[in-house]
């Protein structure tokens, strides 16, 4: 592997601190401006690696490694850097809290009108999204781990009291973010002969079979998911329709808190699942029951209850989308690219999103059973390798196709329901390359097949080359991202401002790579077989040696 996670993370730390400190103050110099999501991504770049990767912690000054101290040196000496970071966290929490102390999660500049020239209304600027909640979960857990650990190693009464206040504010933010994720989960029920139903049937059809047979088989495979969803507190307009097995359904996370039956604000999102926001929610929720969270006791009793409810929805959404991806037998619908969603056109990006859900499902099963399902990993690996080619990374991009557009400008996802407070809004997403690299590394870490693992790591190297070629190479933000045109020979000017959106996702890739490197190496069947053959040969040669030497009188047999 050419990826060196420790070096890469320390370079991100150094560049983040270097470009964010201006005249002694902490600012957000990112290209998207300041906002609850962007500011959180900026801080997560520092906090999350220390939370997840052993040896990168900096909450205990005496135990901080030299290279970690050097990367964070602009924040102060080995004693003052943790204090400075705790103050930055405190200011973030103050900025994104209402006057009554309630945490707020405005998406702000991350949302843009679908109609050119339109401007979001002030009400829309305050809209809260699943992305904001998910980032808040990751940020809060990472910051709580840091603050709790640091508080255990300080003695000053004033600093101790300040850290306790920060810890309480982080606890409130985490609780509200978890509630926001719960409010954003939805179930959409529709007839088989509707536009959504016909699209779903076309997506799942892999061989010529009557639609009635396919629908019967689909109802059987989704039966456990339907039963699980019926056990949730659903809106009165959804529950009876979900009980009708003649109707199809989909479940997952909408882009924000969904509109209830009584249409009460501030929830405006239509109750229609979005693949992007479903995966975004899953990536945050999985941190709630990670080993680091549980061992450090970061969740309160109330949060444990919320985490349990989120986990139920997380597993049901996994089961639903994984069943669709694998439906029908030998050849998965997921392999028949691109995936067709019920709400948008066919897209490689949608294929990657469904594959991401399947990866979540396999990682969960592997954690429970400690057995890698090879039969599931092989087709999934094929999908990821093909996505790297279709993304113009391992294959020359098509001059006429939309290959480069996956990376720049990305895909603009509509946010149905956002038009209630102004112009219809969308979210521009452009994390195709780092998300694909993250999933490739996760699958490579699961497979016991060393040849398949080598194949995936070879693709990972090419993806890393692509991403590292998109780093800024001059100015205070050098070593951060993103210059997407550089990967395709475009003469785009070098931006002076970093993208925390992409930098944070590359940081996640490096954390996954660090976790993979830290595991016990997979055993090679070929190496074991070779060692056995050598041992048998040695035993035979030893027997020959014994036969060629005379036996001395009185010697043992």
């Amino acid at each position: 592997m050419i990826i060196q996670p420790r070096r890469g993370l320390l370079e991100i730390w150094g560049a983040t601190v270097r470009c964010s400190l201006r005249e002694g103050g902490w600012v957000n110099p990112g290209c998207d401006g300041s906002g609850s999501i962007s500011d959180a991504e900026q801080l997560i770049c520092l906090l999350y690696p220390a939370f997840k990767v052993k040896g990168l912690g900096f909450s205990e000054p005496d135990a901080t490694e030299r290279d970690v101290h050097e990367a964070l040196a602009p924040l102060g000496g080995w004693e003052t850097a943790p204090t400075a970071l705790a103050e930055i966290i405190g200011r973030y929490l103050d900025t994104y809290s209402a006057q009554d102390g309630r945490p707020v999660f405005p998406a702000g500049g991350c949302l843009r009108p679908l109609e050119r020239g339109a401007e979001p209304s002030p009400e829309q600027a305050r809209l809260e999204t699943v992305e904001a909640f998910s980032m808040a979960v990751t940020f809060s857990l990472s910051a709580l781990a840091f603050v709790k650990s640091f508080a255990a190693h300080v003695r000053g009464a004033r600093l101790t009291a300040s850290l306790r206040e920060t810890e309480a504010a982080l606890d409130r933010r985490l609780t509200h973010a978890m509630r926001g994720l719960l409010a954003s989960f939805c179930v959409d029920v529709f007839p088989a002969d509707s536009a959504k139903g016909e699209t779903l049937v076309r997506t799942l059809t892999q061989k010529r079979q009557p639609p009635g047979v396919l629908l019967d088989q689909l109802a059987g495979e989704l039966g456990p998911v339907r039963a699980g969803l019926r056990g949730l507190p659903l809106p009165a307009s959804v529950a009876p329709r979900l009980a009708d097995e003649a109707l199809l359904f989909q479940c997952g996370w909408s882009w924000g808190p969904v509109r209830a039956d009584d249409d009460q604000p501030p929830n405006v999102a239509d109750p229609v699942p979005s693949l992007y926001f479903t995966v975004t929610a899953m990536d945050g929720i999985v941190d709630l029951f990670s080993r680091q969270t549980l061992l450090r006791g970061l969740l309160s009793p109330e949060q444990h209850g919320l985490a349990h409810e989120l986990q139920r929805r997380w597993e049901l959404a996994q089961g639903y989308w994984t069943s669709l991806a694998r439906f029908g037998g030998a050849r998965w619908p997921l392999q028949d690219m691109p995936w067709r969603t019920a709400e948008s056109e066919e897209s490689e990006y949608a294929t990657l999103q469904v594959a991401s859900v399947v990866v979540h499902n396999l990682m969960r099963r592997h954690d429970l059973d400690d057995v890698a399902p090879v039969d599931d990993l092989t087709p999934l690996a094929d999908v990821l390798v093909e996505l790297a080619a279709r993304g113009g990374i391992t294959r020359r991009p098509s001059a006429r196709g939309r290959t480069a557009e996956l990376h720049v400008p990305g895909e603009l996802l509509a946010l149905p329901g956002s038009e209630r407070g102004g112009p219809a809004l969308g979210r521009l997403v452009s994390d195709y390359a780092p998300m694909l690299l993250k999933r490739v590394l996760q699958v490579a870490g699961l497979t016991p097949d060393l040849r398949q693992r080598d194949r995936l790591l070879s693709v990972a190297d090419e993806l890393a080359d692509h991403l590292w070629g998109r780093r800024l190479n001059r100015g205070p933000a050098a070593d951060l991202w993103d210059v997407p045109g550089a990967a395709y020979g475009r003469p785009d000017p070098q931006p002076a401002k970093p993208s925390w959106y992409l930098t944070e996702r590359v940081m996640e890739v490096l954390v996954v790579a660090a976790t993979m490197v830290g595991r016990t190496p997979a055993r090679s069947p070929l190496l074991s077989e070779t060692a056995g053959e050598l041992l048998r040969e040695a035993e035979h040669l030893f027997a020959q040696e014994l036969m060629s030497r005379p036996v001395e009188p009185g010697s043992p047999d």
Side-chain angles (χ1 to χ4, degrees), residues 110-115 409-414 425-429:
C110 291
L111 308 183
R112 59 183 62 190
L114 298 179
E115 182 181 350
E411 290 197 3
L412 186 60
L413 304 178
L425 300 178
R427 174 63 164 119
L428 186 65
V429 295

Side-chain angles (χ1 to χ4, degrees), residues 208-431:
R208 295 179 181 179
Q209 60 185 141
V213 175
L214 184 145
L215 291 173
D216 288 342
Q217 183 180 354
L218 182 61
E221 292 199 16
L222 294 180
V225 177
R226 188 189 295 266
L229 291 171
R230 292 177 62 185
L232 300 179
L234 299 174
S237 60
V238 174
R241 302 183 69 217
L242 184 62
D244 184 354
E245 296 193 3
L247 298 176
L248 299 176
F249 69 95
Q250 57 180 342
C251 64
W253 276 264
S254 183
W255 60 268
V258 297
R259 201 163 36 91
D261 291 336
D262 54 7
D263 199 18
Q264 290 184 353
N267 298 356
V268 299
D270 285 351
V272 178
S274 160
L275 271 172
Y276 173 78
F277 289 102
T278 293
V279 174
T280 299
M282 287 182 173
D283 284 340
I285 291 170
V286 73
D287 286 330
L288 290 169
F289 38 90
S290 69
R291 181 180 179 85
Q292 292 83 1
T293 298
L294 298 177
L295 288 180
R296 300 183 191 194
L298 299 181
L299 301 183
S300 68
E302 178 187 2
Q303 289 164 353
H304 273 292
L306 294 172
H308 174 70
E309 291 301 317
L310 285 170
Q311 185 175 359
R312 288 177 64 192
R313 290 156 176 79
W314 183 75
E315 292 181 343
L316 288 168
Q318 276 187 50
Y320 176 82
W321 291 102
T322 301
S323 295
L324 296 189
R326 302 173 51 191
F327 180 77
R331 179 172 173 81
W332 294 4
L334 184 61
Q335 294 175 277
D336 186 15
M337 290 180 260
W339 187 267
R340 303 160 189 83
T341 64
E343 287 75 35
S344 63
E345 299 178 356
E346 59 185 25
S347 164
E348 275 77 21
Y349 203 94
T351 307
L352 178 55
Q353 299 291 346
V354 178
S356 296
V357 179
V358 178
V359 172
H360 270 287
N361 181 269
L362 293 177
M363 292 182 70
R364 179 62 170 166
R365 288 168 56 191
H366 183 260
D367 288 342
L368 292 174
D369 303 332
D370 199 30
V371 175
V374 179
D375 293 342
D376 290 346
L377 290 172
T378 299
L380 183 57
D382 292 342
V383 167
L384 295 176
V385 170
E386 177 63 19
L387 286 174
R390 291 187 176 219
I393 298 169
T394 59
R395 183 188 300 162
R396 184 172 57 190
S398 170
R400 297 182 179 180
R402 298 178 60 250
T403 304
E405 294 179 12
L406 285 171
H407 311 283
V408 53
E411 290 197 3
L412 186 60
L413 304 178
L415 308 181
S418 60
E419 67 278 2
R420 290 181 176 83
L425 300 178
R427 174 63 164 119
L428 186 65
V429 295
S430 55
D431 60 344

